[in-house]
């Protein structure tokens, strides 16, 4: 059953969403939301157990939320994009700048030392490991998504400069003031609203590895557990701050985040953050990517996808988000965004 609203004229988005829910595994739900010029045109959710206030973990859709915390400090003159990381984090050994970290050029993407899953729950231990880690390439000479550690690299900068954890900073400086139902580090009330992730089967995980560079295997497998349903649906995982992947929120919050960016950041910094800083073959994922400062960039469009088919971003006067509780491909998000674009008279995005 589909709940929520669409503005008159946008009914075909609801029709595509109904098809998306049918294509997912039985009992799996999702949500889609979109704003056009700041007004809501789509706000839908469906599936057993889903309500308007259900929140779900959309994996790397979290990364721009983390990046914006650091970008706010840049706007305030506290953080210099082109300063070496060591200025703010003396123990950090990779010769990277803040800009390198924000744009996935720093090379700190995999840990050489095997560590247990519990390391995810120990911020100081994880940051000490990252500070000591030799980068996988000379910073600035290549790029590759720091799949599991981006949030710690950015979050430790925020903590050292501001004193607050990234999750608290996000809540107090971004999500709270702008009424965004998105959280990193869940308390009991948020845990009660969290949707169980499904579809993270051995077959899904094996398919996600196919064709990827060896570095991807190392980057997502140590610490183990980031794609294990027993781990990511646990209270310990949800309570921890793992800001590369474990934000939890609504599609409405993710879409509104992108509509809110022009009020969060100065115009010049937002333009810089959403302009490609590097482009080419991603050393971790093996695909061609262009990175801004925390955002994936495709021409004038920018946003971020997340494992399992999640996506949120902005383009051509609209913001859009599709968050799902069932891991699958990105066709669902693409179909929904293309339905939205068709109503707006825009051509389809490439799949």
């Amino acid at each position: 059953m589909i709940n929520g609203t669409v503005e008159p004229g946008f009914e075909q988005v609801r029709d595509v969403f109904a098809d998306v829910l049918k294509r997912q595994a039985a009992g799996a739900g999702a949500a889609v939301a979109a704003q056009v010029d700041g007004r809501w045109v789509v706000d839908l959710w469906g599936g057993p157990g889903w309500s308007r206030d259900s929140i779900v973990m959309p994996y790397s859709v979290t990364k721009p939320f983390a990046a914006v915390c650091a970008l706010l400090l840049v706007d305030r003159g506290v953080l210099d994009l082109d300063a070496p990381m060591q200025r703010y984090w003396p123990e950090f050994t990779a010769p990277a700048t803040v800009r390198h970290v924000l744009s996935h050029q720093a090379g700190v993407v995999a840990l050489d030392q095997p560590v247990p899953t519990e390391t995810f729950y120990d911020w100081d231990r994880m940051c000490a490991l990252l500070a000591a880690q030799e980068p996988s390439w000379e910073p600035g000479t290549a790029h590759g998504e720091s799949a599991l550690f981006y949030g710690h690299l950015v979050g430790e900068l925020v903590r050292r400069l501001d004193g607050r954890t990234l999750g608290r900073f996000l809540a107090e400086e971004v999500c709270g003031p702008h009424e965004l139902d998105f959280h990193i580090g869940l308390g009991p009330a948020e845990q009660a609203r969290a949707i169980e992730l499904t579809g993270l089967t051995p077959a899904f995980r094996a398919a996600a590895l196919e064709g990827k560079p060896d570095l991807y295997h190392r980057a997502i497998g140590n610490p183990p557990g980031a794609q294990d349903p027993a781990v990511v649906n646990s209270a310990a995982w949800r309570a921890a701050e793992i800001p590369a992947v474990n934000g939890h929120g609504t599609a409405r919050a993710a879409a509104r985040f992108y509509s809110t960016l022009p009020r969060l950041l100065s115009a010049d910094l937002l333009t810089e953050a959403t302009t490609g800083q590097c482009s080419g073959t991603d050393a971790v994922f093996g695909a061609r990517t262009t990175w801004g400062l925390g955002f994936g960039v495709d021409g004038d469009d920018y946003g971020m996808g997340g494992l399992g088919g999640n996506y949120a971003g902005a383009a051509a006067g609209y913001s859009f988000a599709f968050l799902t509780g069932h891991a699958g491909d990105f066709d669902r998000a693409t179909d929904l965004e293309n339905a939205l674009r068709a109503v707006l008279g825009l051509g389809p995005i490439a799949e």
Side-chain angles (χ1 to χ4, degrees):
M1 180 179 177
I2 295 176
N3 296 284
T5 59
V6 294
E7 185 175 279
F10 289 83
E11 291 85 359
Q12 71 184 76
V13 181
R14 184 174 57 205
D15 294 342
V16 173
F17 186 56
D19 182 62
V20 163
L21 292 180
K22 290 177 184 176
R23 281 152 48 190
Q24 295 193 152
V32 61
Q35 286 192 318
V36 173
D37 296 328
R39 76 180 192 277
W40 287 111
V41 297
V42 177
D43 181 14
L44 300 170
W45 61 91
W50 281 70
S51 70
R52 187 178 190 278
D53 296 324
S54 293
I55 57 176
V56 69
M57 187 182 87
Y59 280 98
S60 289
V61 170
T62 307
K63 287 182 172 73
F65 285 85
V68 161
C69 294
L71 293 172
L72 281 172
L73 296 180
V74 173
D75 252 344
R76 295 171 186 175
V78 177
L79 182 63
D80 183 344
L81 284 171
D82 294 309
M85 286 287 287
Q86 288 93 339
R87 176 184 297 181
Y88 310 107
W89 186 351
E91 302 89 346
F92 195 81
T93 56
T97 66
V98 174
R99 185 184 301 273
H100 289 149
V101 166
L102 282 169
S103 58
H104 295 278
Q105 297 183 77
V108 183
V109 298
L111 295 175
D112 293 335
Q113 177 184 337
V115 292
T117 299
E118 288 71 27
T119 310
F120 280 124
Y121 313 143
D122 187 336
W123 182 272
D124 290 341
R125 172 63 174 154
M126 183 72 89
C127 288
L129 290 166
L130 294 171
Q133 178 60 47
E134 182 178 348
S136 294
W137 58 82
E138 181 183 349
T141 65
H143 68 274
E145 184 179 339
S146 186
L148 295 183
F149 308 129
Y150 185 82
H152 285 82
L153 299 174
V154 174
E156 184 64 2
L157 284 175
V158 171
R159 190 190 68 81
R160 285 173 179 251
L161 286 167
D162 180 82
R164 287 174 284 183
T165 69
L166 190 137
R168 183 180 166 198
F169 186 98
L170 180 71
E172 295 178 355
E173 299 286 345
V174 179
C175 293
H178 296 279
E179 299 182 330
L180 305 177
D181 192 1
F182 197 95
H183 315 267
I184 296 174
L186 303 190
E190 287 75 36
Q191 293 232 17
R193 297 192 288 129
I195 293 290
E196 293 280 305
L197 297 186
T198 59
L200 295 168
T201 63
F204 172 84
R205 286 179 275 172
L209 292 172
E210 289 181 5
K212 299 290 199 306
D214 177 68
L215 185 55
Y216 175 83
H217 297 233
R218 296 195 293 116
I220 61 95
N222 179 33
Q227 297 183 24
D228 182 344
V231 173
V232 298
N233 288 322
S234 70
W237 175 275
R238 290 171 175 167
E241 293 192 18
I242 311 166
V245 291
N246 90 329
H248 287 71
T250 63
R252 188 168 52 256
R256 189 172 181 179
F257 170 74
Y258 283 88
S259 298
T260 302
L261 285 175
R263 300 196 300 278
L264 277 168
L265 302 176
S266 65
D268 287 347
L269 184 57
L270 179 57
T271 296
E272 187 172 6
T274 57
T275 298
Q277 306 287 310
C278 54
S279 186
T281 300
D282 189 291
V284 176
F285 281 76
R288 183 175 178 81
T289 55
T290 299
W291 288 111
L293 300 175
F295 302 91
V297 178
D298 183 6
D300 293 333
D301 304 350
Y302 56 93
M304 191 70 193
L307 181 79
N310 301 281
Y311 178 76
Y318 71 83
S319 62
F320 168 86
F322 171 73
L323 304 190
T324 177
H326 186 72
D329 58 37
F330 286 92
D331 290 349
R332 296 164 294 174
T334 299
D335 291 347
L336 284 161
E337 188 170 2
N338 279 340
L340 174 70
R341 291 175 68 89
V343 175
L344 297 174
L346 301 171
I349 56 173
E351 294 191 19

